[in-house]
Amino acid sequence: MAFFFFYEAFIQVMTKHFPHRFFTGNSFLLLAGLLALIGVFIWLKKTKRRFPQLYLFLNTTLLVYILVDAGWLIGKLLYPPVNPLSVYSLEKGDTTTPCATCAKPNVYFLLFDEYASSLSLKEQFNYDNSCLDSFLIKQGFHINKQSRANYNLTPFSIASVLNMSYIEGLKDPGRIMSQDYTNTYHLIRNSKVISLFSREGYEVKNYSIFDLAGQPTKAWQSFLPLKTRLITARTLAERLNRHSTSLLVRYLGVKYFVVREYMKYYTGNEEFLKAVASEADQKTSRPRFVYAHFMMPHFPYLFDSSGNRRSDQQIYEEKFTNPATSYLNYLPYTNKRLAALVLHIRQNDSNAVILLCGDHGYRGWTNKQPIRFQFQNLNAVYFPDHDYSRWDDKVSFVNQFRIVFNQLFDTKYPLVKDSAIALKEE
């Protein structure tokens, strides 16, 4: 059980003492663990010795651990720990008050996961995405062509944009652990942007993959370590699920069940598309801030460029490779759904502000792409008065809502320096 539940921690210890990848690979560790288990089993079967002192020691140790953990949990409940991550740079100088005379239109924050900028797509793959750009310009959008996210992992990028600040307190950006994700989710849940919109009298609508204060997510999610996966992410089963490439898993029907799970992303995208469209149809007394997060064009690439459902075999194989060709072929389908939603909002909520963004650029799994492409994201904004004088083509995500609030509510938030922080999961 210890080997199962603390498998990831065991790998970290092995990596520290045996840096060669052979000794930290699943094949070696599983074989060594199995041989050790068989050896111990055979020895116990052959020996006639009894181990009363060992049993007493193990039972006593387990009881002590249970009591210590129980005390630790009670202490956590009575004295909640301070989040080691913070976004205090905005809080320190924020003296803004609600605007009583501002128009306060509905604001739609539409985030398409891993949608790279057209400039990045052209430079990286020679891919022409001008059809989307032309559509957006015709609809009155301003495209921030050289926009970039400040972090290349989704939760950290979202925490930054929704708090209008960089994340302080990350111990090692090159070794992001499950605890870092936990702390980041707290920043998202209690984000400054949500608080400011609420203070301005807005009703917040959450159609994202993250919990917001008082608004839990309805989305199904398997790629990010959310909720119970923060506990299970370090177990043997989860490690094998992430890294297994065996013939047993690939070709004996398991792919069918994996792809069935992936289709939940399609269901979630469809539900959120309908929900946002429904928001545009409604006329309410209070203004609304609508945050929607769509898992496209992010993997899994469920449809081809013509909108046809791809085979289970194709989708499953890409679990291990994340090929750029499939990502690019998924863009036309994504563009079609995106354009239909934008048109619906424009026709039914013509005075609304629309922020159309990607949380980061395309992030290849196997190719050695220059790191800068992982930050270059889609970023287009629509304001009904077409005043884009505040928007620089090079705006980065951390300044997105600083500009929005300055324009809508006459706040005086200064823009912070644009920086990109490369993160890598442990």
Side-chain angles (χ1 to χ4, degrees), residues 144-182:
N144 303 304
K145 298 178 182 179
Q146 300 183 56
S147 171
R148 64 176 180 174
N150 304 98
Y151 298 89
N152 57 335
L153 295 180
T154 296
F156 301 86
S157 179
I158 299 303
S160 176
V161 69
L162 289 184
N163 285 285
M164 304 184 285
S165 297
Y166 292 101
I167 301 172
E168 301 174 14
L170 286 173
K171 292 183 179 179
D172 187 354
R175 295 183 61 196
I176 296 299
M177 310 290 286
S178 59
Q179 187 61 46
D180 294 316
Y181 279 101
T182 302

Side-chain angles (χ1 to χ4, degrees), residues 15-75:
T15 302
K16 183 177 180 179
H17 296 285
F18 302 98
H20 195 284
R21 292 185 63 86
F22 173 79
F23 296 104
T24 58
N26 290 323
S27 300
F28 173 81
L29 291 176
L30 289 176
L31 179 60
L34 180 61
L35 291 176
L37 181 63
I38 293 173
V40 171
F41 179 78
I42 293 174
W43 181 73
L44 288 175
K45 289 289 288 183
K46 288 184 175 181
T47 185
K48 296 182 179 180
R49 296 174 58 189
R50 295 291 182 262
F51 306 94
Q53 292 181 334
L54 177 61
Y55 297 153
L56 177 62
F57 170 76
L58 292 176
N59 288 330
T60 303
T61 302
L62 178 61
L63 179 61
V64 170
Y65 278 140
I66 291 174
L67 292 175
V68 169
D69 276 353
W72 179 78
L73 289 173
I74 293 172

Side-chain angles (χ1 to χ4, degrees), residues 108 154 182 199 254 275 278 333 349 361 399 406:
Y108 294 82
T154 296
T182 302
R199 191 179 67 182
V254 178
S278 177
Y333 171 82
D349 195 357
N399 286 314
N406 288 348

Side-chain angles (χ1 to χ4, degrees), residues 168-226:
E168 301 174 14
L170 286 173
K171 292 183 179 179
D172 187 354
R175 295 183 61 196
I176 296 299
M177 310 290 286
S178 59
Q179 187 61 46
D180 294 316
Y181 279 101
T182 302
N183 297 332
T184 302
Y185 299 145
H186 286 303
L187 296 181
I188 295 173
R189 184 183 299 114
N190 304 303
S191 63
K192 185 66 174 178
V193 165
I194 301 304
S195 174
L196 288 174
F197 271 116
S198 297
R199 191 179 67 182
E200 292 287 348
Y202 277 71
E203 182 180 4
V204 176
K205 297 288 188 174
N206 182 20
Y207 302 112
S208 80
I209 61 176
F210 298 105
D211 291 337
L212 301 180
Q215 300 232 6
T217 179
K218 299 177 182 178
W220 180 84
Q221 173 61 249
S222 71
F223 293 119
L224 298 174
L226 296 169

Side-chain angles (χ1 to χ4, degrees), residues 135 139 141 336-349 354:
F135 164 78
Q139 290 297 315
F141 280 74
K336 181 179 179 180
R337 307 313 307 276
L338 179 159
L341 181 61
V342 167
L343 279 175
H344 187 88
I345 296 173
R346 291 279 297 107
Q347 292 169 359
N348 295 277
D349 195 357
I354 305 174

